[in-house]
Amino acid sequence: MSNLNKDINFKDYNLSEEILQAIDSLGYKSPTKVQVEVIPQIQLKKDIIVRSRTGSGKTASFAIPICDEIDWLQNKAQALVLT
């Protein structure tokens, strides 16, 4: 794991205003450790495998950047998540 900055905010990830509003409405205050590691990798369009305990934020770590990149007007598969 890289050095984690405790002051990281979701705004540091260059997410759309709509996604930031959704994150705020869900009550997320700051990214979890797994989100700090995963979100930047997904934004770089890297294929990754994540293993972390239940409740660590895995689902949001890939869902947030994927939702930010989806073209909601296209009616086709744009992401694949295997669990």
PDB file of all heavy atoms in Angstrom, residues 15-25 68:
ATOM      1  N   LEU A  15     -13.992  14.181  -9.971  1.00  0.00           N
ATOM      2  CA  LEU A  15     -15.280  13.572 -10.302  1.00  0.00           C
ATOM      3  C   LEU A  15     -16.262  14.662 -10.715  1.00  0.00           C
ATOM      4  O   LEU A  15     -16.122  15.826 -10.324  1.00  0.00           O
ATOM      5  CB  LEU A  15     -15.834  12.817  -9.096  1.00  0.00           C
ATOM      6  CG  LEU A  15     -14.983  11.655  -8.592  1.00  0.00           C
ATOM      7  CD1 LEU A  15     -15.443  11.216  -7.211  1.00  0.00           C
ATOM      8  CD2 LEU A  15     -15.034  10.503  -9.569  1.00  0.00           C
ATOM      9  N   SER A  16     -17.273  14.284 -11.496  1.00  0.00           N
ATOM     10  CA  SER A  16     -18.282  15.248 -11.928  1.00  0.00           C
ATOM     11  C   SER A  16     -19.058  15.770 -10.720  1.00  0.00           C
ATOM     12  O   SER A  16     -19.141  15.117  -9.674  1.00  0.00           O
ATOM     13  CB  SER A  16     -19.242  14.603 -12.922  1.00  0.00           C
ATOM     14  OG  SER A  16     -20.045  13.630 -12.273  1.00  0.00           O
ATOM     15  N   GLU A  17     -19.632  16.940 -10.897  1.00  0.00           N
ATOM     16  CA  GLU A  17     -20.418  17.546  -9.824  1.00  0.00           C
ATOM     17  C   GLU A  17     -21.610  16.663  -9.450  1.00  0.00           C
ATOM     18  O   GLU A  17     -21.962  16.552  -8.285  1.00  0.00           O
ATOM     19  CB  GLU A  17     -20.896  18.946 -10.233  1.00  0.00           C
ATOM     20  CG  GLU A  17     -21.481  19.740  -9.090  1.00  0.00           C
ATOM     21  CD  GLU A  17     -20.524  19.941  -7.920  1.00  0.00           C
ATOM     22  OE1 GLU A  17     -19.325  20.149  -8.127  1.00  0.00           O
ATOM     23  OE2 GLU A  17     -21.009  19.862  -6.760  1.00  0.00           O
ATOM     24  N   GLU A  18     -22.206  15.991 -10.438  1.00  0.00           N
ATOM     25  CA  GLU A  18     -23.345  15.109 -10.164  1.00  0.00           C
ATOM     26  C   GLU A  18     -22.937  13.944  -9.270  1.00  0.00           C
ATOM     27  O   GLU A  18     -23.657  13.574  -8.337  1.00  0.00           O
ATOM     28  CB  GLU A  18     -23.941  14.567 -11.468  1.00  0.00           C
ATOM     29  CG  GLU A  18     -24.607  15.616 -12.333  1.00  0.00           C
ATOM     30  CD  GLU A  18     -23.638  16.380 -13.233  1.00  0.00           C
ATOM     31  OE1 GLU A  18     -22.446  16.024 -13.287  1.00  0.00           O
ATOM     32  OE2 GLU A  18     -24.079  17.335 -13.877  1.00  0.00           O
ATOM     33  N   ILE A  19     -21.785  13.368  -9.543  1.00  0.00           N
ATOM     34  CA  ILE A  19     -21.298  12.248  -8.727  1.00  0.00           C
ATOM     35  C   ILE A  19     -20.942  12.742  -7.325  1.00  0.00           C
ATOM     36  O   ILE A  19     -21.259  12.088  -6.328  1.00  0.00           O
ATOM     37  CB  ILE A  19     -20.103  11.540  -9.401  1.00  0.00           C
ATOM     38  CG1 ILE A  19     -20.539  10.878 -10.705  1.00  0.00           C
ATOM     39  CG2 ILE A  19     -19.450  10.548  -8.454  1.00  0.00           C
ATOM     40  CD1 ILE A  19     -21.556   9.764 -10.556  1.00  0.00           C
ATOM     41  N   LEU A  20     -20.302  13.898  -7.232  1.00  0.00           N
ATOM     42  CA  LEU A  20     -19.970  14.448  -5.912  1.00  0.00           C
ATOM     43  C   LEU A  20     -21.231  14.729  -5.103  1.00  0.00           C
ATOM     44  O   LEU A  20     -21.268  14.469  -3.894  1.00  0.00           O
ATOM     45  CB  LEU A  20     -19.126  15.720  -6.061  1.00  0.00           C
ATOM     46  CG  LEU A  20     -17.708  15.502  -6.570  1.00  0.00           C
ATOM     47  CD1 LEU A  20     -17.036  16.840  -6.854  1.00  0.00           C
ATOM     48  CD2 LEU A  20     -16.884  14.683  -5.589  1.00  0.00           C
ATOM     49  N   GLN A  21     -22.287  15.210  -5.748  1.00  0.00           N
ATOM     50  CA  GLN A  21     -23.550  15.445  -5.052  1.00  0.00           C
ATOM     51  C   GLN A  21     -24.150  14.127  -4.575  1.00  0.00           C
ATOM     52  O   GLN A  21     -24.691  14.048  -3.470  1.00  0.00           O
ATOM     53  CB  GLN A  21     -24.533  16.186  -5.954  1.00  0.00           C
ATOM     54  CG  GLN A  21     -24.181  17.635  -6.170  1.00  0.00           C
ATOM     55  CD  GLN A  21     -25.100  18.319  -7.181  1.00  0.00           C
ATOM     56  OE1 GLN A  21     -26.010  17.711  -7.734  1.00  0.00           O
ATOM     57  NE2 GLN A  21     -24.842  19.589  -7.429  1.00  0.00           N
ATOM     58  N   ALA A  22     -24.077  13.093  -5.412  1.00  0.00           N
ATOM     59  CA  ALA A  22     -24.602  11.782  -5.029  1.00  0.00           C
ATOM     60  C   ALA A  22     -23.826  11.222  -3.833  1.00  0.00           C
ATOM     61  O   ALA A  22     -24.432  10.683  -2.896  1.00  0.00           O
ATOM     62  CB  ALA A  22     -24.535  10.824  -6.209  1.00  0.00           C
ATOM     63  N   ILE A  23     -22.509  11.345  -3.879  1.00  0.00           N
ATOM     64  CA  ILE A  23     -21.668  10.886  -2.770  1.00  0.00           C
ATOM     65  C   ILE A  23     -22.063  11.598  -1.478  1.00  0.00           C
ATOM     66  O   ILE A  23     -22.225  10.978  -0.433  1.00  0.00           O
ATOM     67  CB  ILE A  23     -20.178  11.096  -3.094  1.00  0.00           C
ATOM     68  CG1 ILE A  23     -19.737  10.136  -4.197  1.00  0.00           C
ATOM     69  CG2 ILE A  23     -19.308  10.947  -1.845  1.00  0.00           C
ATOM     70  CD1 ILE A  23     -18.370  10.455  -4.771  1.00  0.00           C
ATOM     71  N   ASP A  24     -22.244  12.905  -1.576  1.00  0.00           N
ATOM     72  CA  ASP A  24     -22.631  13.696  -0.409  1.00  0.00           C
ATOM     73  C   ASP A  24     -24.006  13.286   0.105  1.00  0.00           C
ATOM     74  O   ASP A  24     -24.211  13.144   1.314  1.00  0.00           O
ATOM     75  CB  ASP A  24     -22.605  15.185  -0.765  1.00  0.00           C
ATOM     76  CG  ASP A  24     -22.827  16.061   0.445  1.00  0.00           C
ATOM     77  OD1 ASP A  24     -22.086  15.916   1.441  1.00  0.00           O
ATOM     78  OD2 ASP A  24     -23.765  16.895   0.400  1.00  0.00           O
ATOM     79  N   SER A  25     -24.953  13.047  -0.814  1.00  0.00           N
ATOM     80  CA  SER A  25     -26.305  12.671  -0.396  1.00  0.00           C
ATOM     81  C   SER A  25     -26.338  11.301   0.271  1.00  0.00           C
ATOM     82  O   SER A  25     -27.226  11.017   1.073  1.00  0.00           O
ATOM     83  CB  SER A  25     -27.277  12.710  -1.580  1.00  0.00           C
ATOM     84  OG  SER A  25     -27.047  11.635  -2.453  1.00  0.00           O
ATOM     85  N   ASP A  68     -19.087   7.661 -12.907  1.00  0.00           N
ATOM     86  CA  ASP A  68     -18.620   8.953 -13.402  1.00  0.00           C
ATOM     87  C   ASP A  68     -18.272   8.891 -14.894  1.00  0.00           C
ATOM     88  O   ASP A  68     -18.378   9.887 -15.596  1.00  0.00           O
ATOM     89  CB  ASP A  68     -17.412   9.416 -12.593  1.00  0.00           C
ATOM     90  CG  ASP A  68     -17.102  10.881 -12.777  1.00  0.00           C
ATOM     91  OD1 ASP A  68     -18.042  11.704 -12.689  1.00  0.00           O
ATOM     92  OD2 ASP A  68     -15.931  11.206 -13.015  1.00  0.00           O
TER      93      ASP A  68
END
